[in-house]
Amino acid sequence: MAMASSRNGTTRGSMRPISGANSSNLRSSSFKSRIPSSAPAPRRNSSASLGGSSAADNGVPGRVRVAVRLRPRNADESVADADFADCVELQPELKRLKLRKNNWDTETYEFDEVLTEAASQKRVYQVVAKPVVESVLEGYNGTVMAYGQTGTGKTFTLGRLGDEDTAARGIMVRSMEDIIAGTSLDTDSVFVSYLQLYMETIQDLLDPTNDNIAIVEDPKTGDVSLPGATHVEIRNQQNFLELLQLGETHRVAANTKLNTESSRSHAILMVHVKRSVVENEDSVSNEMENSSHFVRPSRPLVRRSKLVLVDLAGSERVHKSGSEGHMLEEAKSINLSLSALGKCINAIAENSPHVPLRDSKLTRLLRDSFGGTARTSLIVTIGPSPRHRGETTSTILFGQRAMKIENMLKIKEEFDYKSLSKKLEVQLDKVIAENERQLKAFDDDVERINRQAQNRISEVEKNFAEALEKEKLKCQMEYMESVKKLEEKLISNQRNHENGKRNGEVNGVVTASELTRLKESLENEMKLRKAAEDEMNKVKSQSTLKTRSGEGEDAGISRLQKLLEDEALQKKKLEEEVTILRSQLVQLTFEADQMRRCLDRGALGNSYSGTDSLPSRHSQARESVNGQKAPFATLCEQVGLQKILQLLESDDANIRIHAVKVVANLAAEEANQEKIVAAGGLTSLLMLLRSYEDETVRRVAAGAIANLAMNEVSQQLIVDQGGISLLSLTAADAEDPQTLRMVAGAIANLCGNDKLQARLWSDGGIKALLGMVRCGHPDVLAQVARGIANFAKCESRATTQGYEGVKSGRSLLIEDGALPWIVQHANDEAAPIRRHIELALCHLAQHEVNAKEMISGGALWELVRISKECSREDIRSLAHRTLSSSPVFRSEIRRLGIDF
């Protein structure tokens, strides 16, 4: 239970010495160490902490946990103090410690854990260090420190290797075992530095030649680092044990009266842990004939944390330790650094405005451990001997003061854009290679089909030639037979003619005329026969082509055309997927560059927040890295604007979403707006807003329209194509604050055009703007306030300059019921909302016909307040000038007796 409670910085028991309610059972005790009941809870001062960091940036509170451990009597104490009782009495079940001042007076203290002389090393680790190690694996910084008089067991508790007895392993060895078990050799890394602070000089225990390491502080974050220290990667526990043994051989120690191996330096083990974690993956599958599957890579995170294990040198009194000569100088240096640490802890515990951080290098190294962002556990070690009651008292009071400090824990993680970009590049290479393979297969199929078609055509031509030759021979045979019959008939007729000559002249004349007629008939028949043969050959050739060659060839060509169409469709889909992958890569590169620039400026914020969101996005889109073109402009040149706009009509929802995101980012740059409008991009965006109910498509499309609405020509086109009505319908249907913010931003930009006032009001733009206040989101309200201010400013300008077509009479904003909301938010806590509402009130008041409505609606009081209290001088002056120039307002101010 103690271990679980320590994870969130709370304890099972009280954090203060026991209260007076128990004094009846301890009448002989003196409670000088009690904290009064009115004392504040454990605290940290953000401006005066060792960490020096703010407590506001999503931190988790975690108090410094303190445990006390009692060392058993050694041989010398058993002999020297045989007649005396121990100076301390432990009550571990109550987590209390009683310090005997004399035989009749005691002082009682409470700690997070009280460990007796029988407590095992394993229990000490689980109670003191294991929660800190678990926090380090989760991404937080952590510190475990041992403090106490020399010879009370600090090094035994922290740095014992346990070569002969594994149960005697200290916190350092056990912490590394858990860290190695909780990390992966493939994706994570663990680096170790082992240092000692000796005589105010930082020395490298792993490289003794490196004996003067400088401390480097980040001027922005205040983080402390030691770039000159040796960093060794740990792959297994044996490697770590060898490094610890090497470091211990180089650590300075000496023989004193209090300890035969007294540490003369502060040992500091720094463990740097880098872990890679992955967010939930989202896979997108596109079903095609080849069943290709594309996975949208997850967003990898890198968590960097640091575990600092500090074995402080023991505090000592010279007359007890017997130090002299060089050992005396060492003792002075140790006591000075421990005194500086105690002063800093006192200053933080007492909420002092100044913390003396730079009095010692020890306090500079531990600035994140007390009052900073690290989870800290402190174990104070004491001895039982009454001869050292003063040192024991000092150690206990040090732990009590440390318990008052509360750190603000912060996880340290960042997006691993390099890994994600590499994954995207690998996936893009795979898609390109697969596309090349499919194109090669497509070309091979086309060549094979061409060869088959050529072979079939050759075969059909051969068969046609053979059939034609057979038909020609048949016609020739028929012709020969007909000629033979005619010749036989001619011979027969000649014979009859010769016989007729004998019968008389008249019959001869008749026979001769009949012969002439027969010859003419024969010639005519031969001509007709030849013409019939030619016609028959022509018909047969056409018939053959249609019946034989036509059927096979048409079927082959039809199949070929179908294959070509299928391959073209598949190629088009692959090109769309490659385009989307490129757009993802460019968009992530753009986000990475933008995040890097924000980190360099020290200001991470929303890229689209508040009333200045649209201009800020424009300025960000116009920025370039190292003088190069913006990523989306490069994408537009590589893919083509027309190709990107065509993807807005894709049947694949994911392709459509990515395409509209690319168009929105392109529209954020002023140089691209006219090109997008000229290419029909505005019409396509309005169609998306009209046709699709997908919240993502509508949000991004509205954002793109808002960007285009910064251009005056685009504003007129949006109105002419019914954009105000579409935006009003979207505002009525949408519930997502981001979508409403985009729609409100678009309408607010249109409100700044003097020529569109009447059309904007008649198409319901003002009512839609006022309807979005139902959301209550500060960003949405800021855009609504900006639109009202723009509209009121245009109305005021039109009234004073007398524009044609502008409706006279009271303001259209007042007619649509905007005045109550304006008055309600005139003194809003959010500065952007308040600034725009104050401007709107000033502009409305400039039109005399609005004065009575504003007085009855309570706007007069807000105008008086603005003229006196507004932080901006120009608005304050405008309000004062407006009230002074209006007879109606002046009369009402005199009537109410307002001091103006």
Side-chain angles (χ1 to χ4, degrees):
M1 178 65 72
M3 206 167 55
S5 64
S6 67
R7 295 295 304 277
N8 57 11
T10 59
T11 59
R12 183 173 60 184
S14 172
M15 296 181 290
R16 300 176 298 173
I18 59 176
S19 62
N22 298 325
S23 61
S24 60
N25 298 328
L26 301 168
R27 293 178 180 175
S28 62
S29 300
S30 172
F31 297 101
K32 294 182 179 179
S33 65
R34 293 181 195 161
I35 299 176
S37 59
S38 61
R43 76 199 74 172
R44 68 183 293 275
N45 189 319
S46 60
S47 63
S49 64
L50 285 183
S53 60
S54 175
D57 298 334
N58 300 326
V60 178
R63 181 178 58 80
V64 175
R65 289 180 51 82
V66 181
V68 61
R69 187 181 192 185
L70 176 66
R71 171 183 58 77
R73 286 193 177 193
N74 54 33
D76 293 340
E77 292 172 344
S78 298
V79 174
D81 301 330
D83 297 333
F84 300 95
D86 291 347
C87 68
V88 293
E89 178 185 348
L90 304 185
Q91 296 178 335
E93 66 280 357
L94 300 177
K95 299 184 179 182
R96 292 177 182 171
L97 177 148
K98 289 185 177 181
L99 177 64
R100 290 190 179 93
K101 299 179 64 177
N102 46 48
N103 292 334
W104 58 87
D105 193 10
T106 62
E107 292 180 349
T108 304
Y109 301 91
E110 286 190 356
F111 290 91
D112 293 307
E113 290 292 339
V114 175
L115 303 170
T116 65
E117 61 270 22
S120 65
Q121 291 281 76
K122 181 178 180 180
R123 170 165 170 74
V124 172
Y125 170 72
Q126 290 179 339
V127 169
V128 176
K130 189 175 181 64
V132 178
V133 174
E134 291 176 349
S135 296
V136 170
L137 291 174
E138 293 174 359
Y140 298 93
N141 288 343
T143 302
V144 179
M145 187 170 67
Y147 178 90
Q149 183 189 9
T150 181
T152 54
K154 299 184 298 301
T155 303
F156 177 82
T157 300
L158 225 65
R160 187 66 178 267
L161 298 181
D163 295 334
E164 299 177 356
D165 184 8
T166 57
R169 291 169 299 163
I171 289 176
M172 288 183 179
V173 178
R174 295 177 186 269
S175 298
M176 185 55 64
E177 289 177 352
D178 283 353
I179 289 176
I180 293 176
T183 55
S184 171
L185 294 177
D186 297 331
T187 60
D188 305 333
S189 63
V190 179
F191 287 86
V192 165
S193 298
Y194 199 14
L195 314 166
Q196 71 174 355
L197 179 60
Y198 176 69
M199 301 285 288
E200 282 301 304
T201 302
I202 301 176
Q203 302 175 357
D204 197 333
L205 292 176
L206 303 181
D207 183 9
T209 60
N210 191 8
D211 58 357
N212 191 9
I213 301 174
I215 299 176
V216 177
E217 297 182 10
D218 190 329
K220 295 182 179 179
T221 63
D223 292 339
V224 175
S225 60
L226 302 171
T230 301
H231 290 72
V232 180
E233 185 174 7
I234 302 300
R235 307 292 293 180
N236 52 63
Q237 186 69 12
Q238 184 60 34
N239 185 15
F240 177 68
L241 291 176
E242 293 173 357
L243 288 177
L244 282 184
Q245 291 174 349
L246 176 64
E248 287 299 323
T249 59
H250 297 146
R251 188 176 180 186
V252 180
N255 184 7
T256 67
K257 292 181 181 180
L258 297 177
N259 191 356
T260 57
E261 293 185 4
S262 176
S263 300
R264 314 306 291 169
S265 66
H266 306 299
I268 304 170
L269 177 69
M270 292 186 176
V271 183
H272 301 270
V273 181
K274 176 184 176 182
R275 298 194 64 198
S276 298
V277 296
V278 180
E279 292 180 340
N280 295 330
E281 295 185 355
D282 181 18
S283 61
V284 181
S285 177
N286 295 324
E287 295 296 335
M288 298 189 306
E289 293 183 2
N290 292 340
S291 300
S292 61
H293 185 76
F294 294 92
V295 176
R296 180 166 42 193
S298 57
R299 296 170 68 88
L301 298 175
V302 174
R303 290 181 178 174
R304 303 179 188 272
S305 55
K306 179 174 66 175
L307 174 63
V308 181
L309 302 172
V310 185
D311 179 13
L312 295 174
S315 60
E316 60 183 50
R317 295 185 179 179
V318 177
H319 71 276
K320 291 185 178 182
S321 64
S323 300
E324 57 185 14
H326 184 67
M327 290 178 57
L328 179 60
E329 296 301 321
E330 291 175 342
K332 290 180 180 179
S333 176
I334 292 171
N335 290 336
L336 283 175
S337 61
L338 293 178
S339 175
L341 178 61
K343 289 179 181 178
C344 289
I345 290 178
N346 286 343
I348 299 171
E350 298 301 329
N351 206 14
S352 173
H354 172 67
V355 178
L357 291 175
R358 299 192 174 274
D359 289 356
S360 172
K361 289 186 178 181
L362 178 62
T363 56
R364 293 178 65 189
L365 288 173
L366 297 179
R367 66 182 300 163
D368 193 42
S369 303
F370 294 96
T373 62
R375 183 182 294 278
T376 301
S377 286
L378 171 67
I379 180 168
V380 294
T381 58
I382 59 176
S385 175
R387 289 180 297 162
H388 306 304
R389 182 181 288 107
E391 289 82 353
T392 301
T393 302
S394 175
T395 301
I396 291 173
L397 293 179
F398 181 90
Q400 288 287 298
R401 287 190 293 268
M403 288 178 65
K404 298 179 181 180
I405 299 175
E406 183 174 358
N407 295 346
M408 193 61 64
L409 313 182
K410 295 179 185 177
I411 195 168
K412 299 180 181 299
E413 65 181 14
E414 59 186 15
F415 286 116
D416 191 358
Y417 285 103
K418 291 183 179 179
S419 175
L420 180 59
S421 178
K422 188 177 296 183
K423 287 182 181 179
L424 280 174
E425 289 177 356
V426 171
Q427 186 175 355
L428 181 60
D429 291 339
K430 289 182 180 180
V431 172
I432 293 175
E434 180 65 24
N435 187 25
E436 291 179 351
R437 285 193 294 270
Q438 292 182 1
L439 288 176
K440 182 65 170 58
F442 172 74
D443 294 338
D444 294 342
D445 290 341
V446 171
E447 185 177 356
R448 178 178 53 80
I449 293 171
N450 287 335
R451 287 198 302 269
Q452 292 178 355
Q454 191 66 31
N455 293 336
R456 290 178 183 177
I457 291 173
S458 300
E459 184 178 356
V460 169
E461 289 177 350
K462 182 179 178 181
N463 294 335
F464 173 72
E466 292 177 354
L468 185 61
E469 188 66 26
K470 290 180 180 180
E471 188 68 23
K472 182 178 180 181
L473 291 175
K474 181 179 179 182
C475 292
Q476 289 178 353
M477 293 299 295
E478 292 178 353
Y479 174 72
M480 294 299 293
E481 289 179 358
S482 299
V483 171
K484 186 178 180 180
K485 290 180 180 179
L486 289 173
E487 288 178 349
E488 289 177 353
K489 188 175 181 180
L490 179 60
I491 293 172
S492 175
N493 289 335
Q494 288 177 353
R495 289 175 181 175
N496 293 332
H497 177 65
E498 291 176 355
N499 293 330
K501 284 182 178 181
R502 301 186 191 103
N503 295 328
E505 186 177 355
V506 177
N507 291 336
V509 175
V510 174
T511 300
S513 62
E514 289 179 358
L515 182 60
T516 302
R517 182 175 56 81
L518 286 174
K519 287 183 179 181
E520 293 177 354
S521 298
L522 180 59
E523 291 176 356
N524 291 332
E525 186 178 354
M526 291 175 67
K527 291 180 180 179
L528 293 173
R529 179 75 175 182
K530 186 176 180 181
E533 288 178 356
D534 294 341
E535 186 68 23
M536 180 185 67
N537 291 335
K538 184 176 180 181
V539 172
K540 285 182 178 181
S541 65
Q542 293 178 352
S543 176
T544 303
L545 289 173
K546 290 181 179 180
T547 55
R548 297 180 181 178
S549 175
E551 293 176 358
E553 187 175 358
D554 290 344
I557 292 174
S558 299
R559 286 193 297 273
L560 177 60
Q561 289 177 346
K562 184 177 181 181
L563 288 174
L564 290 174
E565 291 174 355
D566 294 342
E567 294 295 339
L569 179 60
Q570 185 177 358
K571 180 180 179 182
K572 181 179 179 181
K573 292 182 178 179
L574 289 174
E575 289 178 349
E576 290 179 349
E577 292 167 349
V578 170
T579 301
I580 292 306
L581 286 175
R582 283 180 178 174
S583 67
Q584 286 181 349
L585 180 58
V586 171
Q587 188 167 0
L588 287 173
T589 303
F590 177 74
E591 292 175 358
D593 294 338
Q594 190 176 21
M595 181 69 73
R596 191 178 302 111
R597 291 195 301 273
C598 290
L599 288 173
D600 292 340
R601 290 194 300 266
L604 283 174
N606 293 330
S607 63
Y608 194 111
S609 62
T611 59
D612 300 327
S613 57
L614 289 174
S616 64
R617 290 194 64 185
H618 284 193
S619 61
Q620 291 172 8
R622 286 193 292 266
E623 290 179 358
S624 59
V625 182
N626 297 328
Q628 299 177 356
K629 292 184 178 179
F632 291 101
T634 304
L635 176 63
C636 185
E637 292 180 0
Q638 292 177 354
V639 179
L641 179 60
Q642 198 63 39
K643 181 68 175 178
I644 296 173
L645 294 178
Q646 289 176 358
L647 294 179
L648 294 176
E649 301 176 1
S650 174
D651 295 333
D652 192 316
N654 291 297
I655 293 176
R656 190 167 58 249
I657 291 173
H658 285 300
V660 73
K661 287 182 179 179
V662 172
V663 174
N665 282 283
L666 289 173
E669 188 165 353
E670 186 176 355
N672 298 328
Q673 293 175 359
E674 294 184 1
K675 299 178 183 178
I676 294 174
V677 174
L682 176 59
T683 304
S684 301
L685 290 171
L686 292 173
M687 287 296 295
L688 286 176
L689 206 61
R690 178 185 294 109
S691 305
Y692 293 97
E693 297 181 357
D694 183 85
E695 193 67 31
T696 302
V697 173
R698 294 202 301 176
R699 180 175 66 253
V700 182
I705 293 172
N707 288 336
L708 293 177
M710 299 293 292
N711 184 283
E712 186 174 355
V713 177
S714 302
Q715 291 175 351
Q716 187 64 48
L717 290 175
I718 291 172
V719 174
D720 293 341
Q721 296 183 19
I724 297 176
S725 300
L726 289 175
L727 291 171
S728 300
L729 291 175
T730 305
D733 297 339
E735 297 295 336
D736 180 38
Q738 300 302 326
T739 303
L740 293 174
R741 183 182 64 180
M742 300 295 184
V743 174
I747 297 177
N749 289 338
L750 295 175
C751 287
N753 192 325
D754 296 324
K755 302 176 183 178
L756 304 178
Q757 296 291 295
R759 185 71 179 274
L760 190 64
W761 177 74
S762 62
D763 288 353
I766 301 303
K767 290 185 178 179
L769 200 63
L770 294 174
M772 284 184 280
V773 302
R774 72 182 186 279
C775 173
H777 194 279
D779 291 345
V780 178
L781 296 182
Q783 293 299 324
V784 172
R786 186 170 68 90
I788 290 175
N790 288 344
F791 195 90
K793 182 178 180 180
C794 289
E795 276 193 332
S796 175
R797 188 162 54 217
T799 302
T800 56
Q801 298 180 6
Y803 288 163
E804 295 182 0
V806 177
K807 180 181 178 298
S808 59
R810 66 174 183 169
S811 170
L812 297 177
L813 290 173
I814 296 178
E815 289 192 5
D816 279 349
L819 185 59
W821 186 85
I822 294 174
V823 174
Q824 180 183 357
H825 290 80
N827 197 16
D828 197 278
E829 295 180 357
I833 300 175
R834 184 175 66 254
R835 185 175 73 248
H836 287 298
I837 292 300
E838 288 174 347
L839 277 173
L841 279 174
C842 292
H843 288 307
L844 286 174
Q846 288 183 339
H847 197 14
E848 192 72 17
V849 74
N850 298 327
K852 293 183 179 180
E853 292 279 354
M854 296 182 71
I855 291 172
S856 62
L860 176 60
W861 295 99
E862 294 299 333
L863 285 170
V864 173
R865 179 192 61 79
I866 293 169
S867 67
K868 295 180 178 180
E869 301 176 2
C870 182
S871 58
R872 285 185 48 172
E873 184 179 357
D874 56 339
I875 300 178
R876 190 167 64 249
S877 175
L878 178 61
H880 190 277
R881 188 168 60 252
T882 301
L883 291 175
S884 301
S885 62
S886 173
V888 179
F889 285 135
R890 290 201 309 270
S891 174
E892 185 67 16
I893 289 173
R894 287 194 299 269
R895 188 184 69 82
L896 296 175
I898 300 175
D899 182 16
F900 176 68

